[in-house]
Amino acid sequence: MLVLAWLIVLLTGAGARLGAIGLRSWIFLVLSGIATGASWLCYYYAIGHGQVSVVVPIDRLSILVTVFFSLIVFKEKLSAKAWAGLALLTAGAVLMAVFT
């Protein structure tokens, strides 16, 4: 992912603006990369040591954390369609976890 992201930056010409990114933003970018890598390592560890049919639905429920974070921290508003989609995703993940 890191290589692909940098390839996109370079191909779109956005590399010239990298100097305008502040230190705080760089710190958050690096921390985000570390968190993403750790998340995938944990995900594959769980798949390797557990039942995939249980691990994957639990992982899919992480969308709830993301949405509630955006609601609380960023004060985002969700449309009725977004709430319905979130409900369907959550119901599907729960059903997969319970009935497998």
Side-chain angles (χ1 to χ4, degrees):
M1 284 303 289
L2 181 63
V3 172
L4 181 60
W6 278 110
L7 185 63
I8 291 170
V9 167
L10 296 174
L11 290 176
T12 59
R17 297 187 303 256
L18 290 177
I21 299 174
L23 178 62
R24 183 171 184 220
S25 294
W26 277 112
I27 290 170
F28 279 106
L29 282 169
V30 169
L31 291 175
S32 174
I34 292 169
T36 300
S39 170
W40 279 100
L41 288 173
C42 292
Y43 178 72
Y44 285 116
Y45 179 84
I47 286 176
H49 290 83
Q51 290 181 315
V52 175
S53 61
V54 175
V55 172
V56 172
I58 292 170
D59 176 64
R60 294 301 121 204
L61 288 174
S62 66
I63 191 169
L64 290 173
V65 175
T66 304
V67 169
F68 287 121
F69 182 81
S70 71
L71 291 171
I72 294 167
V73 175
F74 299 117
K75 309 290 189 235
E76 291 186 10
K77 305 288 185 223
L78 291 182
S79 66
K81 187 193 305 188
W83 279 111
L86 182 62
L88 289 171
L89 282 167
T90 302
V94 170
L95 286 172
M96 284 177 56
V98 171
F99 293 109
T100 55

